Amino acid sequence: MRVTAVSISEKKGEKKHNIPEGELRANWGLVGDAHADGSHRQLSLLARESIDAMREMGADVHPGDFAENITTEGLTLHTLPIGTNLKIGDDILLEVTQIGKECHSGCAIQKQVGKCIMPRQGIFCRILEGGIVRPGDEIRLLA
């Protein structure tokens, strides 16, 4: 289980672009991202496998296109119970706070792709302990 992409956007409701690394600030979010606001949805995650499924249906989509901050591999995110803790690398500690979300009408992702997978398969986390996150970082489930 690992991070495959770190993505950021300056405005809400648009696709994010990939960055080589990002700073996750405890009780805030991904520094520089439009969604960082200290709410219970400080960080969004989506599995690469979910993006691949959309690609198999003919959509030209990539990590960050669904406005997720972290794209993962090897972990079925939407099946994790709320309250689950995830460790990224040695420093970062996350707590799952929400599974899926209500997609607002007219979102750029839905217009381009025809449907959005974030409402069912994306998750949101609170950052308990921050640090630097990079593609390739290991993700572990904590008991």
Side-chain angles (χ1 to χ4, degrees):
M1 298 180 292
R2 67 184 182 100
V3 172
T4 60
V6 179
S7 308
I8 195 168
S9 66
E10 290 72 33
K11 294 181 182 175
K12 292 185 178 186
E14 63 182 31
K15 296 190 291 185
K16 296 185 184 296
H17 58 276
N18 297 324
I19 56 176
E21 65 180 32
E23 178 188 351
L24 300 184
R25 186 174 296 157
N27 298 310
W28 181 251
L30 176 58
V31 174
D33 186 68
H35 292 90
D37 61 6
S39 73
H40 72 287
R41 293 188 346 189
Q42 296 169 10
L43 190 71
S44 58
L45 290 80
L46 184 64
R48 183 190 55 79
E49 293 84 352
S50 296
I51 296 170
D52 288 348
M54 292 293 297
R55 293 176 91 170
E56 288 172 14
M57 292 189 290
D60 181 22
V61 291
H62 307 278
D65 285 356
F66 292 95
E68 77 279 4
N69 295 120
I70 305 286
T71 307
T72 67
E73 179 179 75
L75 185 58
T76 309
L77 296 171
H78 63 280
T79 64
L80 299 175
I82 290 182
T84 299
N85 287 333
L86 302 170
K87 186 84 173 173
I88 298 179
D90 294 327
D91 301 322
I92 298 165
L93 180 62
L94 307 176
E95 176 187 18
V96 177
T97 57
Q98 184 174 328
I99 308 295
K101 73 175 194 102
E102 192 174 318
C103 217
H104 55 83
S105 62
C107 120
I109 293 96
Q110 192 168 21
K111 284 180 182 172
Q112 181 212 0
V113 176
K115 74 178 200 174
C116 186
I117 51 181
M118 279 302 282
R120 294 183 331 280
Q121 297 186 18
I123 70 167
F124 294 88
C125 294
R126 195 164 54 99
I127 302 167
L128 303 178
E129 296 175 19
I132 302 299
V133 61
R134 296 173 186 90
D137 285 352
E138 180 186 10
I139 302 172
R140 296 183 312 280
L141 283 172
L142 301 181

